[in-house]
Amino acid sequence: MDGAIASVIVAATGVVGTLLSPVLAQRSMARVARTTAEAEQLGRREEREENVRISAFQEKRQVYAELNSLARVARNAMKDSVRYYHKKGEVTEGDMSLVTSARLAYQECYDNAQMILPDHILPLASRLNGSLAKGFHLIKSLATQGTPTPEEIRDHCEGPILQMVTEMRTAMRKDLGVSS
């Protein structure tokens, strides 16, 4: 009888195993499919995050380059107006127009950049903005009142403005990982 019971148990186990194997296989395949879908979703999320990071870096690099370039253009326009003053004895309307255009271009860029500049760059850009504004007002005063002296304006362009342009450029390059 022991042999008969054992045969029945073995047969029942075989039948249960045969019946359960498709169910177990299906559950295993569902688990593999779920794991694969989760891995693909994670990969897509990481790719989106990387694209956002790259886009933000490119935008920051573009703003940095534009700020640096327009600050230099404004500084050069001021220096040129002083040089022309020495030649002509006055700041002409054309000279003033060039200085104003350069100043406004920088100001517009600075206004837009304030929203994305990091906290350690924003104060530098703000001080440069103030220094450029002072230079602009000095030239405007020279054009309308004949004061201050052109040398004072030149010294402002070669001193505070140049110092701020250089300091801001160095900080922006470091932020971008271009220099140490």
Side-chain angles (χ1 to χ4, degrees):
M1 178 99 147
D2 281 337
I5 292 177
S7 294
V8 170
I9 291 175
V10 168
T13 303
V15 169
V16 169
T18 302
L19 292 174
L20 287 180
S21 70
V23 172
L24 294 176
Q26 182 180 10
R27 288 186 69 190
S28 176
M29 289 182 352
R31 186 178 319 125
V32 167
R34 186 175 54 248
T35 302
T36 302
E38 288 171 356
E40 288 174 359
Q41 184 180 17
L42 178 62
R44 285 190 302 272
R45 184 180 326 125
E46 288 172 351
E47 184 178 340
R48 279 191 309 271
E49 289 170 357
E50 179 67 10
N51 288 340
V52 166
R53 189 189 65 72
I54 288 170
S55 177
F57 178 81
Q58 289 172 338
E59 182 181 16
K60 184 192 307 186
R61 184 179 58 200
Q62 177 64 34
V63 167
Y64 283 4
E66 195 173 347
L67 269 175
N68 183 60
S69 176
L70 291 174
R72 290 181 175 282
V73 166
R75 178 178 166 265
N76 288 337
M78 290 178 203
K79 284 175 31 182
D80 289 347
S81 70
V82 168
R83 191 172 58 247
Y84 297 148
Y85 181 85
H86 280 296
K87 288 180 183 179
K88 303 172 192 172
E90 67 175 337
V91 178
T92 66
E93 192 174 306
D95 298 336
M96 200 62 214
S97 176
L98 291 174
V99 171
T100 301
S101 294
R103 171 77 179 120
L104 291 176
Y106 176 82
Q107 185 64 49
E108 181 179 348
C109 180
Y110 170 74
D111 290 347
N112 292 329
Q114 289 181 64
M115 299 312 293
I116 65 167
L117 290 177
D119 290 341
H120 64 285
I121 302 289
L122 185 58
L124 298 172
S126 179
R127 288 198 317 263
L128 174 58
N129 187 54
S131 203
L132 288 171
K134 181 179 178 182
F136 175 75
H137 291 297
L138 290 173
I139 291 182
K140 193 172 181 182
S141 180
L142 177 64
T144 59
Q145 300 167 8
T147 60
T149 67
E151 289 72 24
E152 290 176 80
I153 298 170
R154 186 194 64 232
D155 290 347
H156 184 70
C157 289
E158 294 300 325
I161 292 176
L162 179 59
Q163 178 185 352
M164 289 308 308
V165 168
T166 303
E167 189 177 335
M168 188 174 73
R169 182 191 66 230
T170 301
M172 291 186 303
R173 287 177 53 85
K174 185 175 181 181
D175 188 49
L176 292 173
V178 178
S179 64
S180 55

